[in-house]
Amino acid sequence: MRGLNSVLGLFITIGGALLLGGFTILLLGGDQRYGGPVFFGWDRVYYGGGLISIGSVVVYISLRKLKRTGVNVNNIMMCPRCGEAYNTDGMLDCKCPVCHVVLEDIKGFYKRHPEYK
Ligand SMILES: [Zn+2]
């Protein structure tokens, strides 16, 4: 999980850089440090807008992926009686709130209880 998140963080950084570059081109025509405007007229809109849209897509996808992997799968446990999955985050005891039986690790659960497959 940690490794994936750092890759996503890198993608968000790249997306942010693309967005920044896009806005620089759109508003200033290029980075002033490299001898002033490089792009003029509609070129600014095309290149700037292009970079901004690519940057937005990269950031958007990365954030969505990040959100999905944000759920800690290790906290998901299964009820052997009703077959429901519960997130034990914030639970005082690892018991099913409906059946009041001790929840089981999701790992290998379907092997032990093939009837819930
Ligand atoms: Zn249950």
Side-chain angles (χ1 to χ4, degrees):
M1 283 304 170
R2 208 186 182 88
L4 182 64
N5 280 357
S6 61
V7 169
L8 289 176
L10 184 70
F11 270 104
I12 291 171
T13 311
I14 292 171
L18 286 173
L19 280 176
L20 195 69
F23 277 114
T24 311
I25 290 171
L26 189 65
L27 300 175
L28 305 169
D31 198 321
Q32 301 299 316
R33 284 172 299 183
Y34 302 110
V38 184
F39 299 100
F40 297 97
W42 282 105
D43 273 0
R44 279 162 63 159
V45 181
Y46 292 143
Y47 288 99
L51 281 182
I52 289 170
S53 26
I54 295 170
S56 326
V57 170
V58 171
V59 170
Y60 177 72
I61 293 174
S62 308
L63 284 180
R64 267 188 55 166
K65 268 230 152 39
L66 199 66
K67 223 176 173 182
R68 205 174 301 159
T69 56
V71 178
N72 192 349
V73 185
N74 295 329
N75 291 339
I76 304 289
M77 292 187 85
M78 306 291 296
C79 172
R81 189 165 292 175
C82 62
E84 281 297 318
Y86 292 100
N87 191 336
T88 54
D89 260 353
M91 268 191 192
L92 291 177
D93 50 2
C94 290
K95 282 185 177 172
C96 175
V98 181
C99 320
H100 304 288
V101 295
V102 178
L103 297 173
E104 290 184 15
D105 205 333
I106 192 165
K107 208 174 163 189
F109 179 82
Y110 290 109
K111 240 179 200 161
R112 293 190 300 271
H113 306 276
E115 67 268 28
Y116 293 121
K117 233 176 197 172

